[in-house]
Each structure stands twice: as C-alpha cells, then as structure tokens.
Amino acid sequence: MLTSIEGRSVIVTGSSKGIGKGIARVFAGKGARVLIAARNLSEAEATAGEIRMSGGIASAVGVDVSKVEDNVRMAQAAIERHGGIDILCCNAGIYPSAKLFDLSEADWDQVMDINLKGTFLSVHACLPALKARGKGRIVITSSITGPITGNAGWSHYAASKAGQLGFLRTAAIELAPLRITVNAVLPGNIFTEGLEALGPEYTARMTSAIPARRLGSVEDVAYAALFLTSDEAAYITGQTIIVDGGQVLPESQTALEDLY
Ligand code: NAP
C-alpha cells in the first residue's frame, strides 16, 4: 500500500476526456482534490460533475495550455479552490496526422504550442505554488511515439513528445533541491475519444501490433502516474514509464506470430 494522497491538490491538464479524465478519476477516487482543465469549459465541468457525483472532490477551469495567462489562471484556481498545488499532471495534447509533404508550418506550430510549449507553461505557472509546499510532483504524459518509436503522419507530434523528455530531464535536475520530482508516462495506444477518432482500421492495426492484444485503458496510464506521484516515489526523478502492453518490444512482426 502506498501512502494516501487524500487531500492533495492535483491539476490535470486535458482532463475533460481521455487519459486525463482517467487520471483525474483515479486521483479523485484516492481522495485528492482535482482541478479539471481543458479548453472546452462545459466538457470540463461535466467531468468535474461526474467525479463529484461519485463522491470525489473536483472543479473545472477553461484553459488553453498554450497561453501563458490561461496557465496562470489555472494555477490560481487550484490555490484558491484547493489550497495550493501538490501535483501537476501535464497531460493536454493533440495528435492530428499529416505526412511530411502535407505538413504545414501552421500544423507544426499548433502541435508544438500545445504539446511542448504547453508543458513548459503549465510547469512554469505552477512552480511557485509547488515550491511553497516544500515538495511536489510533476508527471508529463509523453508517448512511445517520438521517444521510442516513429509513426508515419506524426513527425511533428513525435518531435513534441520527444521534446517533453528533453525538458523533463533538465527540469528534474533544477527542481531536485526543491524536492519536486519530474517524471513521465509514455502511453502506447490507449483507448480514448482522441484515439477512437483515428478510426476502426487504425485501432485494429494497432491492436494487432501489441503483444497484450488489446489497447490500453486510461486507468492503465493513471495508475502509473499515481505511483510516480506517491511519497514512495520521492527518489525517482527524470524517468519514464512505458505503458504499452509490450508494443515496443517485438523486433519484427514474426515475434508476434503464433502468440494467440
Ligand atoms: P483526447 O481524448 O483527445 O483528450 C485530449 C484532452 O486534452 C481533452 O480534454 C482536450 O480538451 C484537452 N486539450 C487539448 N488541447 C488542449 C489545450 N490546448 N489546452 C488544454 N487542454 C487541451 O486525448 P488522449 O488520447 O486522452 O491524449 C491525452 C494525452 O496523452 C496527450 O498528451 C497525448 O499525446 C497522450 N497520448 C495519448 C495516447 C493514446 O493512445 N490515446 C498515446 C500516447 C500519448 P479540449 O479539446 O476541450 O481542450
């Protein structure tokens, strides 16, 4: 059993749906006070309402993580409503597909602004409150795409997700004296609204490439994040946990033949 996180103030960006919502639900289920942040405020409020209906503590804020002022407002909301910030989960991200010949500068900038700059801006806005606590936890939702693998159509996305790991390694060094750890979860293919939108052919192809022969659930990722934010993980910083059902392991398609 890990030390309880009951009463801790947690911000999860991009938590109106998908992996972020899963993280928010799991943390709220363990007694944390959770701030749901997403651009669409009514969807964020609906998620916070669902959590409250099941006995948890949650409120919502409309935030675009690519904007400085929104991140500042998000940190302020957690301080005012939940008494400070103990844990920041930088999860907001987008993954529109475009192959290199079609990839525009605007496509590139949008993905970098939300996935990579957004991570920095959320961390930056929350740092004073995390520092004030005397210890803190930051967990970034990166991906296997970029840090470990490549995937046609996602060069901009892969660069943003690999960039998050470069950021976290230096942030982990700078924040170690403040007892703030910075780690990342690297999901494989997790069944979310965003992934579902890529279509049944994509999800079927991905499932066949996973030794566990299923897509991940949002809870699979949330429990890895929960561990990284525990008191027991205080000595783990600048590290990553891959949550992918073994997807990155096969050295060729033949390694998956005759498994099932
Ligand atoms: P999703 O189902 O599309 O949900 C994305 C969430 O992020 C929504 O709450 C969305 O709400 C929010 N969001 C998007 N842009 C935002 C912005 N600029 N500011 C604030 N919130 C924003 O996505 P998901 O599949 O759960 O993915 C979540 C994270 O996991 C992403 O970082 C993604 O790269 C990563 N990931 C996912 C998978 C997977 O298989 N699903 C695999 C590897 C990594 P609004 O649109 O209202 O803002």
Side-chain angles (χ1 to χ4, degrees):
M1 288 289 283
L2 302 174
T3 304
S4 169
I5 60 157
E6 190 169 348
R8 297 208 183 149
S9 170
V10 182
I11 297 176
V12 187
T13 69
S15 50
S16 59
K17 49 191 171 191
I19 292 172
K21 182 174 178 178
I23 293 172
R25 272 201 315 246
V26 164
F27 278 63
K30 302 287 177 193
R33 292 171 287 174
V34 181
L35 188 67
I36 307 293
R39 288 170 300 185
N40 185 320
L41 179 59
S42 57
E43 286 181 5
E45 275 171 345
T47 296
E50 272 178 45
I51 290 173
R52 287 195 299 272
M53 285 289 281
S54 53
I57 300 169
S59 68
V61 64
V63 169
D64 181 342
V65 293
S66 66
K67 298 192 169 133
V68 176
E69 59 280 12
D70 284 24
N71 284 284
V72 171
R73 203 163 33 73
M74 174 177 80
Q76 204 52 43
I79 293 163
E80 283 163 13
R81 299 180 205 171
H82 298 152
I85 305 170
D86 298 292
I87 295 165
L88 169 66
C89 296
C90 295
N91 169 82
I94 57 168
Y95 38 93
S97 164
K99 291 211 176 116
L100 272 177
F101 275 108
D102 304 319
L103 186 61
S104 68
E105 185 183 4
D107 295 333
W108 178 273
D109 286 347
Q110 189 199 22
V111 165
M112 288 296 163
D113 280 355
I114 294 176
N115 296 5
L116 186 53
K117 189 170 91 174
T119 299
F120 156 62
L121 292 178
S122 298
V123 169
H124 197 258
C126 294
L127 267 187
L130 287 164
K131 182 182 176 194
R133 282 289 211 243
K135 66 173 183 178
R137 297 281 183 271
I138 297 168
V139 178
I140 295 169
T141 308
S142 175
S143 176
I144 57 170
T145 310
I148 314 284
T149 62
N151 200 355
W154 280 280
S155 60
H156 51 342
Y157 174 76
S160 75
K161 292 285 146 179
Q164 286 179 311
L165 298 195
F167 170 77
L168 94 79
R169 292 189 181 109
T170 293
I173 293 172
E174 291 187 21
L175 301 180
L178 303 176
R179 298 173 67 221
I180 298 170
T181 67
V182 193
N183 293 292
V185 286
L186 275 56
N189 280 270
I190 310 299
F191 193 71
T192 63
E193 290 87 336
L195 196 86
E196 198 178 9
L198 298 177
E201 199 211 321
Y202 177 88
T203 51
R205 244 185 316 120
M206 283 304 153
T207 307
S208 71
I210 301 168
R213 270 302 189 278
R214 67 169 177 90
L215 298 182
S217 70
V218 295
E219 288 78 15
D220 288 326
V221 182
Y223 281 104
L226 183 67
F227 168 67
L228 289 171
T229 63
S230 66
D231 286 354
E232 285 75 6
Y235 205 54
I236 300 172
T237 195
Q239 301 305 313
T240 59
I241 298 181
I242 294 174
V243 185
D244 73 341
Q247 185 175 345
V248 301
L249 299 176
E251 61 184 35
S252 78
Q253 196 58 32
T254 54
L256 293 169
E257 281 167 12
D258 304 326
L259 269 185
Y260 284 86

